Amino acid sequence: MYYDEAADAVLKTLNTSETGLSSGEAENRLKQYGKNELKEEEKTSVLKLLLSQFKSFLILILMVAALVSAFLGELVDAFVILFTVFLAGVLGFVQEYRAEESIKLLKSLTSPEALVIRDGKEVKVSSSLLVPGDVLILQAGDRIPADARLLEAQSLKIDESSLTGESVPVEKSTKVFPSETPQPDRKNMAYTGTSVTYGRGKAVITATGMSTAFGKLAGLLGEIEREKTPLQEKLDQFGRWLGAATLIVVAFVAVLGIFEGFDPFEMFLWGVALAVAAIPEALPAVVTVGLALGVRRMVKRHALIRKLPSVETLGSTNIICTDKTGTLTQNSMTVEKVYVNGTRLSVTGNGYEPKGDFFKGDQPVSEDVHLHKLLVTGALCNDAGLVQEKEWDILGDPTEGALVVVAAKKGLWRPDLELKHRRVGEVPFSSERKMMTTLNTSEEGIHAYSKGAPEVILGCCTKIFLEGQERELTPEIRKEILDTVNEMANQTLRVMGFAFRKVPEKTVPEDSERDMVFAGLMGMRDPPREEVKAAIATCTNAGIRTVMITGDHKTTAFAIAREIGIYREGDLVLTGIELDALGDKEFEDIVEKVSVYARVYPEHKLKVVNALKKKSYIVAMTGDGVNDAPALKAADMGIAMGITGTEVSKEASSMILTDDNFASIVSAVEEGRNILKNIKNFIAYGLTCHIGVVLIVLVGVLAWQILPVIAVQILWINLITDGLPPMALSLEAPDRGLMKQKPRKSTEGLVSRRMLIASLGLGALIAVQSLGVLYWALEEGVPLAKIQTLIFTLVVISLMFNAFNWRSDKLSVFSLGIFTNRPLIYAVLSTVLLQLAAIYVPIMQTAFRTVPLSLSDWGMIIPLASTTLIVMEVAKYLERRAHR
């Protein structure tokens, strides 16, 4: 719409003219269309956000358990449960307090004022008061305040990277384009939030507010609901499973106890104690603390997490959809190849930093008159500036900036050159001419310097600067130059030609563009980040596919993807137009084969993410532009760039890379995997405890009509074993080879069959040993209080040995290093001291109905308890041997 109509027809459709609207008409249209503002979505209240932290099934079970414990007088245990639940909720709330403000931030990107024609005069008007039909005056540096159809475009270039992802400013024109032209190629349109980098123009506003491209993007963001992370789903699933299993077992044992003649109230009290013991009330707190500690570690590795559960999501990620510009590439046009004096040279250096060298093969090029002439031509026929604040950056067009930087690498600074070669005339660049020329005066006279498309520059030349002299430009030399242009273009370089000529005084600038001397070629591009190729290889080894989704052209995207290892032989490369031609089902059938998407816009990115999620992939999406925001929000893990990223993309994300480095994602994935590993290990450790206690009591009641441990002792076991040790387990470092393992399947629960078997086995081992002690003690006539104290202590000490088992579910604790997790050492020692207090401190003996144990008792307990560690070590060894 509008881009496929002539300018006169657009003005007629909008009932306006090039002299703009009258103030009265503008006021009437403001009432009709409303203000040029974006509507804000309803915000989540602070109270609602806080309450949302306590919705999981596991949390609800714990709160019921706390209430029952309080009702039965177990106030300490009730307080501990409620405190851990509250701690987990508050930590999650603090992390998520910064609610979604995407619409508000989109609003901040619009220009506060705009220059328009009203009543036939140029006036500044608040952007919120603009209406369709207003005529805008556009100048370099302006931010576009509304969508508009261009009426005039004089060397006009607009940076649309925040909207389309294209790295190079778009050269605009007033030509009419076919109706099937995709949005990135509608060069006669200007869009809200983009900015003018070069030239000037005039445009008529066609859409304001929510009707603009930005507005539609805002609407798209508002429609997307965040889904629960895999961790939240797994915790809820685990909570439901554990709650049901616990209630069934406890009810069965309690009823059985009553039939065996135990006091009903005592069995009810015991049943509640066993239920509380079977439910790991420390789980939410330990998970939250583990995630929070992971967040702190990730900040040091340049990854800032906005939502705690998202840390674990990274560990399950199996596809990363990444933008190209600024994420995989440096987002800075850089001259890499030079053709001068019939020779190809390569140029080193990164970004806009004016440091680098010139090489002919392996030999550095020092002084060269031909190279000097070429660089001077590029620097003088130029309007860009090079500045240094925190880092080197350019002012103006990135392509011109690359020419200024490459000249500075040879010590040719544009400001110094212009002092000696003052500009006295110019012919601006235009899409029709495809070249630019300046006239500069110096002590040596007036010279014309030109740059532009190589074939256009060659068409203006009759000579070439070769071997120190101006020689005739023969057909053979022209062919060699054009072959070089094609060769450089095939390397995805943007190639420019350069020429110069000494001209008489009072020469008209346009007349200088003939009989010129060809100076050479420069090939430039936005190069990949140095560390990206290795990072993508690491992702591949970790079972993670990387997919490029970019607004750039297909050829450029394909070349970069192939260079850094994203594209592999047999993969598909799709453009936005090709994607539109596919139905949803057709696309879902091939989505797993596509590694590159080019010339796409927001709806396409969202379509890709949703198609992958339907295939049960855990999808991470990286991006920095406004155009990435909907896909960032829809993905399981949205990753925004902290330096170049727009505020909209940051607020739509779950994680922000503070160094804009794709390689930092690899570190974040490793941290996420490690956190998930530690959570699983803690749960397996806890299950061992709960299974062991339930089996001990169940068999004790069935076989001997005896409670081997009483209610208060069960609660104590639960309190001290689920307290410090699991917190310390959450600090365990990553296992060796963690990033060579495949991502965990999204359907896999928090406890795998393998880990469940291990927990059952260890729990059964603790139960068998405890019941063996019970049998021996009854045969020996040991008093019941001492029997219960022996079993009570044996369980606690066994679980302390068991804590070391779950530092890793695969590796031996001895290969990890006994003292590498010092917090676990301190946690175990602290727990043992608490247990000693429970059996030797008189007031605690009364509370827990314990009696002192002798050295001979300890001589039996410690060897038996240590078998928990020994048996697991043997099992790990046999498993590793079987794998080998």
Side-chain angles (χ1 to χ4, degrees):
M1 191 175 179
Y2 300 118
Y3 62 88
D4 56 356
E5 299 177 39
D8 291 344
V10 173
L11 290 170
K12 188 174 181 180
T13 302
L14 294 170
N15 195 20
T16 186
S17 69
E18 290 199 35
T19 57
L21 301 172
S22 66
S23 297
E25 178 61 19
E27 197 170 323
N28 290 334
R29 294 193 184 192
L30 188 63
K31 292 176 183 177
Q32 178 185 351
Y33 295 104
K35 286 191 173 184
N36 180 33
E37 294 176 340
L38 301 177
K39 294 177 183 176
E40 292 192 38
E41 60 184 6
E42 185 180 344
K43 300 297 179 186
T44 305
S45 68
V46 173
L47 180 60
K48 191 175 179 181
L49 184 63
L50 179 61
L51 292 177
S52 70
Q53 309 297 319
F54 302 96
K55 283 184 177 178
S56 80
F57 190 76
L58 185 59
I59 292 288
L60 294 176
I61 289 177
L62 292 172
M63 294 177 81
V64 170
L67 291 174
V68 173
S69 296
F71 174 74
L72 295 174
E74 302 296 336
L75 297 179
V76 172
D77 201 67
F79 171 78
V80 170
I81 295 172
L82 288 175
F83 177 75
T84 53
V85 167
F86 178 75
L87 176 65
V90 168
L91 285 172
F93 167 75
V94 169
Q95 280 290 325
E96 297 181 18
Y97 177 69
R98 295 181 67 220
E100 295 300 318
E101 294 184 344
S102 302
I103 308 301
K104 181 179 177 182
L105 289 158
L106 275 166
K107 192 175 177 181
S108 71
L109 285 179
T110 57
S111 177
E113 285 190 323
L115 187 63
V116 298
I117 300 176
R118 290 264 178 99
D119 300 315
K121 300 176 183 177
E122 292 186 9
V123 292
K124 282 193 173 182
V125 175
S126 170
S127 65
S128 63
L129 303 179
L130 295 174
V131 294
D134 263 326
V135 175
L136 287 169
I137 304 297
L138 303 177
Q139 299 170 331
D142 287 351
R143 188 176 287 278
I144 309 295
D147 288 3
R149 168 67 158 86
L150 292 169
L151 304 175
E152 295 178 12
Q154 298 177 8
S155 303
L156 184 65
K157 293 184 182 180
I158 295 179
D159 179 2
E160 295 184 346
S161 61
S162 66
L163 191 62
T164 66
E166 187 168 356
S167 54
V168 179
V170 179
E171 185 186 330
K172 294 294 183 177
S173 76
T174 58
K175 290 180 181 177
V176 178
F177 288 87
S179 57
E180 65 273 12
T181 305
Q183 182 178 312
D185 294 328
R186 297 169 191 171
K187 296 184 179 180
N188 58 9
M189 296 293 293
Y191 296 102
T192 311
T194 60
S195 55
V196 179
T197 61
Y198 193 85
R200 56 186 182 276
K202 187 187 290 186
V204 59
I205 292 177
T206 57
T208 58
M210 296 300 289
S211 299
T212 63
F214 257 45
K216 291 172 184 174
L217 193 59
L220 200 59
L221 277 171
E223 292 169 9
I224 298 169
E225 292 291 331
R226 284 199 189 276
E227 298 177 2
K228 284 187 175 181
T229 68
L231 178 61
Q232 290 169 323
E233 293 282 5
K234 288 170 188 172
L235 284 173
D236 278 356
Q237 182 184 18
F238 179 71
R240 288 190 292 271
W241 173 81
L242 191 61
T246 298
L247 292 175
I248 291 170
V249 172
V250 168
F252 172 73
V253 177
V255 170
L256 185 66
I258 292 171
F259 277 112
E260 291 290 342
F262 287 95
D263 178 63
F265 179 77
E266 184 182 359
M267 288 312 299
F268 176 70
L269 182 64
W270 173 86
V272 170
L274 193 60
V276 171
I279 298 172
E281 74 272 9
L283 180 59
V286 170
V287 168
T288 306
V289 170
L291 292 174
L293 291 170
V295 167
R296 288 181 61 186
R297 290 193 295 271
M298 290 171 80
V299 167
K300 295 177 182 177
R301 302 174 85 170
H302 308 292
L304 179 64
I305 293 293
R306 295 185 63 245
K307 295 186 178 294
L308 278 181
S310 301
V311 180
E312 178 272 338
T313 307
L314 269 174
S316 304
T317 296
N318 43 29
I319 282 192
I320 299 175
C321 296
T322 174
D323 189 30
K324 178 184 75 69
T325 306
T327 309
L328 299 174
T329 63
Q330 298 174 19
N331 197 24
S332 56
M333 290 298 287
T334 307
V335 174
E336 294 188 349
K337 300 289 182 183
V338 169
Y339 174 80
V340 67
N341 193 29
T343 305
R344 296 170 178 82
L345 307 179
S346 58
V347 188
T348 63
N350 291 317
Y352 293 128
E353 186 175 10
K355 289 183 180 178
D357 296 300
F358 295 75
F359 288 87
K360 180 182 177 181
D362 296 330
Q363 298 300 314
V365 177
S366 52
E367 296 301 321
D368 185 281
V369 65
H370 308 88
L371 179 60
H372 182 275
K373 195 70 176 181
L374 176 66
L375 297 178
V376 167
T377 301
L380 290 175
C381 184
N382 203 308
D383 290 319
L386 181 62
V387 294
Q388 183 183 26
E389 293 177 359
K390 290 183 179 178
E391 294 181 351
W392 287 96
D393 201 358
I394 56 106
L395 298 174
D397 183 81
T399 301
E400 291 197 323
L403 303 178
V404 173
V405 172
V406 75
K409 288 178 180 179
K410 270 294 182 183
L412 299 170
W413 298 87
R414 183 170 168 245
D416 296 338
L417 289 173
E418 289 196 324
L419 287 176
K420 298 177 181 177
H421 305 267
R422 184 170 52 87
R423 186 182 298 188
V424 293
E426 70 175 282
V427 187
F429 181 90
S430 72
S431 56
E432 291 77 21
R433 289 168 21 80
K434 294 186 178 179
M435 66 180 294
M436 171 186 177
T437 301
T438 63
L439 295 183
N440 298 73
T441 182
S442 68
E443 294 177 355
E444 299 170 358
I446 299 176
H447 282 79
Y449 297 102
S450 297
K451 72 172 189 294
E455 64 277 10
V456 175
I457 292 295
L458 277 172
C460 299
C461 295
T462 56
K463 297 179 181 179
I464 182 172
F465 191 41
L466 200 62
E467 296 179 358
Q469 297 178 351
E470 294 180 8
R471 295 189 175 184
E472 181 187 355
L473 185 59
T474 64
E476 292 77 19
I477 295 175
R478 283 180 187 273
K479 185 180 183 303
E480 182 186 334
I481 293 170
L482 290 173
D483 288 344
T484 303
V485 170
N486 290 330
E487 184 183 319
M488 293 169 77
N490 288 334
Q491 297 171 9
T492 70
L493 295 173
R494 186 179 186 191
V495 188
M496 297 191 76
F498 300 84
F500 63 91
R501 175 195 172 196
K502 186 171 183 179
V503 298
E505 290 188 18
K506 298 182 180 179
T507 299
V508 177
E510 286 79 359
D511 292 342
S512 65
E513 295 178 333
R514 57 186 174 82
D515 297 327
M516 302 193 80
V517 182
F518 185 77
L521 303 169
M522 285 197 244
M524 65 196 75
R525 65 169 178 161
D526 180 12
R529 290 175 176 268
E530 289 184 352
E531 64 283 346
V532 159
K533 191 171 183 178
I536 288 172
T538 302
C539 286
T540 302
N541 291 335
I544 302 169
R545 268 189 65 212
T546 308
V547 175
M548 180 193 290
I549 308 180
T550 178
D552 245 336
H553 290 277
K554 185 174 183 177
T555 305
T556 305
F558 170 72
I560 292 287
R562 184 173 57 183
E563 180 180 347
I564 61 181
I566 287 179
Y567 176 85
R568 294 161 298 181
E569 202 63 40
D571 285 356
L572 299 178
V573 180
L574 290 183
T575 63
I577 293 175
E578 293 167 338
L579 192 53
D580 282 333
L582 294 171
D584 288 345
K585 183 66 173 66
E586 285 179 289
F587 178 50
E588 285 173 26
D589 290 340
I590 65 166
V591 67
E592 293 170 292
K593 301 175 185 176
V594 184
S595 61
V596 180
Y597 297 88
R599 297 307 275 169
V600 297
Y601 39 97
E603 292 82 356
H604 292 137
K605 296 186 178 189
L606 198 55
K607 186 175 181 178
V608 172
V609 170
N610 289 335
L612 288 168
K613 289 176 72 174
K614 282 183 181 178
K615 289 282 188 177
S616 299
Y617 286 102
I618 303 297
V619 183
M621 168 75 189
T622 74
D624 58 358
V626 174
N627 61 316
D628 299 318
L632 287 173
K633 190 174 179 182
D636 296 294
M637 189 72 193
I639 306 172
M641 302 297 117
I643 298 172
T644 59
T646 60
E647 290 302 315
V648 181
S649 65
K650 293 175 188 175
E651 287 300 320
S653 68
S654 304
M655 184 178 92
I656 298 170
L657 296 181
T658 57
D659 62 349
D660 284 16
N661 192 338
F662 182 88
S664 296
I665 298 173
V666 179
S667 300
V669 167
E670 182 180 35
E671 194 63 60
R673 287 189 174 190
N674 187 51
I675 287 169
L676 181 58
K677 177 209 75 173
N678 290 341
I679 289 171
K680 286 173 175 279
N681 286 347
F682 154 66
I683 291 173
Y685 157 79
L687 279 176
T688 303
C689 164
H690 307 314
I691 290 167
V693 170
V694 169
L695 288 175
I696 290 167
V697 175
L698 180 61
V699 176
V701 170
L702 284 173
W704 291 287
Q705 291 78 49
I706 287 176
L707 282 175
V709 282
I710 59 175
V712 69
Q713 291 171 348
I714 292 173
L715 291 172
W716 177 254
I717 289 170
N718 194 43
L719 182 65
I720 63 174
T721 57
D722 278 2
L724 295 175
M727 291 286 184
L729 285 174
S730 71
L731 298 172
E732 188 63 40
D735 285 354
R736 294 187 303 275
L738 187 64
M739 286 302 288
K740 292 183 179 178
Q741 300 173 13
K742 300 300 179 187
R744 296 181 186 273
K745 295 178 181 178
S746 59
T747 54
E748 185 180 321
L750 278 176
V751 182
S752 65
R753 179 188 296 179
R754 177 176 164 279
M755 296 178 77
L756 184 59
I757 291 171
S759 297
L760 281 168
L762 291 171
L765 176 63
I766 293 172
V768 167
Q769 291 176 342
S770 299
L771 293 169
V773 170
L774 174 62
Y775 176 78
W776 167 80
L778 289 173
E779 289 292 314
E780 294 294 320
V782 177
L784 182 59
K786 185 166 183 179
I787 293 175
Q788 290 172 333
T789 304
L790 282 168
I791 294 175
F792 174 38
T793 306
L794 175 60
V795 170
V796 171
I797 302 302
S798 294
L799 291 172
M800 292 305 98
F801 278 105
N802 184 47
F804 290 96
N805 284 329
W806 294 107
R807 289 182 59 190
S808 171
D809 66 327
K810 294 182 177 69
L811 302 179
S812 165
V813 67
F814 300 104
S815 68
L816 293 171
I818 296 291
F819 300 103
T820 49
N821 188 339
R822 291 185 181 277
L824 182 60
I825 300 290
Y826 301 143
V828 167
L829 290 175
S830 300
T831 304
V832 170
L833 288 174
L834 287 170
Q835 182 64 20
L836 292 174
I839 57 180
Y840 290 113
V841 175
I843 191 170
M844 296 188 72
Q845 287 176 341
T846 303
F848 293 103
R849 301 182 201 173
T850 57
V851 296
L853 297 178
S854 65
L855 284 175
S856 61
D857 294 331
W858 283 104
M860 174 181 63
I861 288 171
I862 291 176
L864 284 175
S866 66
T867 59
T868 311
L869 176 61
I870 295 167
V871 167
M872 189 65 169
E873 283 292 304
V874 171
K876 288 179 182 178
Y877 169 75
L878 293 175
E879 186 180 38
R880 289 194 302 273
R881 186 174 177 182
H883 279 303
R884 285 198 295 268

PDB file of all heavy atoms in Angstrom, residues 510 607 621 665:
ATOM      1  N   GLU A 510      30.314  18.743 -12.013  1.00  0.00           N
ATOM      2  CA  GLU A 510      29.819  17.676 -12.893  1.00  0.00           C
ATOM      3  C   GLU A 510      30.754  17.429 -14.076  1.00  0.00           C
ATOM      4  O   GLU A 510      30.839  16.301 -14.584  1.00  0.00           O
ATOM      5  CB  GLU A 510      28.412  18.021 -13.412  1.00  0.00           C
ATOM      6  CG  GLU A 510      27.297  17.885 -12.386  1.00  0.00           C
ATOM      7  CD  GLU A 510      27.216  19.058 -11.421  1.00  0.00           C
ATOM      8  OE1 GLU A 510      28.053  19.987 -11.551  1.00  0.00           O
ATOM      9  OE2 GLU A 510      26.347  19.050 -10.532  1.00  0.00           O
ATOM     10  N   LYS A 607       7.206 -16.925  13.133  1.00  0.00           N
ATOM     11  CA  LYS A 607       6.742 -18.160  12.483  1.00  0.00           C
ATOM     12  C   LYS A 607       7.775 -19.276  12.633  1.00  0.00           C
ATOM     13  O   LYS A 607       7.428 -20.431  12.905  1.00  0.00           O
ATOM     14  CB  LYS A 607       6.475 -17.875  11.002  1.00  0.00           C
ATOM     15  CG  LYS A 607       5.849 -19.043  10.239  1.00  0.00           C
ATOM     16  CD  LYS A 607       5.511 -18.617   8.818  1.00  0.00           C
ATOM     17  CE  LYS A 607       4.858 -19.775   8.042  1.00  0.00           C
ATOM     18  NZ  LYS A 607       4.489 -19.369   6.669  1.00  0.00           N
ATOM     19  N   MET A 621      16.388 -17.661  21.126  1.00  0.00           N
ATOM     20  CA  MET A 621      16.429 -16.694  20.016  1.00  0.00           C
ATOM     21  C   MET A 621      17.272 -15.519  20.450  1.00  0.00           C
ATOM     22  O   MET A 621      17.027 -14.922  21.500  1.00  0.00           O
ATOM     23  CB  MET A 621      15.012 -16.231  19.691  1.00  0.00           C
ATOM     24  CG  MET A 621      14.925 -15.022  18.761  1.00  0.00           C
ATOM     25  SD  MET A 621      15.293 -15.429  17.044  1.00  0.00           S
ATOM     26  CE  MET A 621      15.379 -13.780  16.321  1.00  0.00           C
ATOM     27  N   ILE A 665      27.046 -17.113  24.960  1.00  0.00           N
ATOM     28  CA  ILE A 665      25.907 -18.022  25.070  1.00  0.00           C
ATOM     29  C   ILE A 665      26.382 -19.412  25.439  1.00  0.00           C
ATOM     30  O   ILE A 665      25.732 -20.128  26.204  1.00  0.00           O
ATOM     31  CB  ILE A 665      25.116 -18.066  23.740  1.00  0.00           C
ATOM     32  CG1 ILE A 665      24.550 -16.683  23.427  1.00  0.00           C
ATOM     33  CG2 ILE A 665      23.995 -19.095  23.792  1.00  0.00           C
ATOM     34  CD1 ILE A 665      23.894 -16.583  22.069  1.00  0.00           C
TER      35      ILE A 665
END
